[in-house]
Amino acid sequence: MGIIRTAVANLDREKKDHYVLVIQAKDMAGQLGGLSGSTTVTITITDINDNPPRFNQKLYQLSMPESAAIGTTVGKVKAEDVDLGQNSEMTYTLKEEDGSDKFSVITDTEAQEGIIILRKPLDFETKRTHSLLLEAVNKHVDPQFENLRSFKDWTSVRVMVKDVNEPPEFISQTNVIDVQEDAHVGSVIGSITARDPDLTNSPIRYTIDRNTDLERIFNVDANTGDITIAKRLDRETAGWHNITVIAMEAGW
């Protein structure tokens, strides 16, 4: 019986995954005149988890509009592992950084990618850049190599928030104004205020939605938001009026 043994201390499947040997057998202890035969032996090197995941890209720069909905995919990251099968499987996690509360990461087990998801709304005016630190770690670590190296790697992600032209916002969404029915036509009975949340802080123009004031009983000053009476009021005819004021950026 012939016994095949390794001639080197360590085999590395990632460098060479198989060997082809020609084995010859001779009778008469190999002396001259003996007969011989040969056979070919193919040795396949099986994989073990001896390599950690590695990010080829140490910094990802992504961008996302501030209007993006929660649950939107911000981007993807990928680490490489030269091992095979389950030995190359990894999990992505988000480490504590200044943007960790705004984002989360899930692992695509098919593509072995980390998918960054938006968890909370973005606001360009409050914060324009978020920095993340992502970790990729092997799921199945071989105990014999666990103390020799770290089976994880990290990459940085910078998410740039893109500005979006946002509509004006009213300081108060609901305003209740009490008016005496004998108030004079043209008198100011109240005022509403809206602001432009964008950095440009564009001037605001106001108008009444006439579908909510068909009789045109009220007017609003386009520049100041002051509401005035355009016709005499009669509590017995109409005890209350519900009107909608629209705020728009000047020039739109």
Side-chain angles (χ1 to χ4, degrees):
M1 180 178 65
I3 300 175
I4 302 173
R5 293 188 175 91
T6 58
V8 295
N10 295 301
L11 299 174
D12 190 348
R13 186 202 63 81
E14 285 71 38
K15 292 181 179 179
K16 190 175 179 64
D17 62 359
H18 73 282
Y19 295 84
V20 178
L21 309 178
V22 177
I23 307 296
Q24 186 181 61
K26 292 184 178 181
D27 60 9
M28 296 180 60
Q31 295 181 16
L32 187 63
L35 300 177
S36 67
S38 62
T39 188
T40 300
V41 177
T42 300
I43 300 174
T44 300
I45 310 302
T46 57
D47 187 48
I48 57 174
N49 190 5
D50 58 344
N51 292 282
R54 285 288 179 259
F55 284 103
N56 294 324
Q57 190 172 336
K58 287 300 184 180
L59 175 62
Y60 288 80
Q61 301 217 50
L62 308 174
S63 63
M64 181 64 49
E66 63 177 334
S67 59
I70 294 175
T72 299
T73 296
V74 180
K76 299 178 181 181
V77 299
K78 185 174 178 63
E80 301 292 341
D81 191 324
V82 294
D83 293 318
L84 298 176
Q86 74 171 19
N87 292 328
S88 66
E89 293 178 0
M90 65 192 80
T91 300
Y92 295 87
T93 57
L94 187 62
K95 311 305 289 183
E96 290 295 330
E97 287 290 314
D98 70 349
S100 60
D101 65 324
K102 294 279 189 182
F103 306 90
S104 62
V105 61
I106 59 175
T107 302
D108 183 338
T109 56
E110 293 294 328
Q112 289 296 301
E113 294 177 326
I115 304 174
I116 302 170
I117 304 295
L118 183 63
R119 288 180 54 201
K120 294 182 179 180
L122 300 173
D123 186 6
F124 174 84
E125 287 71 33
T126 303
K127 191 174 183 61
R128 303 185 188 185
T129 305
H130 297 272
S131 297
L132 310 176
L133 182 65
L134 267 70
E135 178 185 80
V137 57
N138 272 145
K139 292 174 65 175
H140 310 284
V141 179
D142 194 322
Q144 65 177 317
F145 298 107
E146 193 169 8
N147 296 326
L148 299 180
R149 65 189 69 175
S150 174
F151 283 82
K152 60 182 68 175
D153 196 21
W154 299 267
T155 188
S156 297
V157 178
R158 185 174 298 138
V159 181
M160 311 295 291
V161 182
K162 295 190 293 186
D163 191 21
V164 172
N165 188 21
E166 301 171 272
E169 297 175 347
F170 282 99
I171 303 302
S172 175
Q173 292 295 317
T174 303
N175 295 270
V176 178
I177 301 174
D178 293 322
V179 184
Q180 295 290 331
E181 66 176 330
D182 61 351
H184 296 295
V185 172
S187 60
V188 177
I189 60 172
S191 183
I192 46 91
T193 303
R195 56 177 287 273
D196 180 9
D198 296 316
L199 288 179
T200 54
N201 195 23
S202 301
I204 304 299
R205 297 290 181 265
Y206 303 94
T207 183
I208 292 177
D209 180 353
R210 290 304 176 184
N211 290 321
T212 64
D213 183 29
L214 295 175
E215 297 182 28
R216 295 180 175 268
I217 298 175
F218 303 96
N219 286 325
V220 63
D221 188 293
N223 297 310
T224 65
D226 290 340
I227 299 174
T228 57
I229 299 174
K231 293 182 179 180
R232 289 183 58 85
L233 301 176
D234 184 359
R235 190 189 64 80
E236 286 70 34
T237 302
W240 60 274
H241 299 269
N242 187 11
I243 65 173
T244 299
V245 177
I246 301 171
M248 299 175 291
E249 292 181 24
W252 285 77

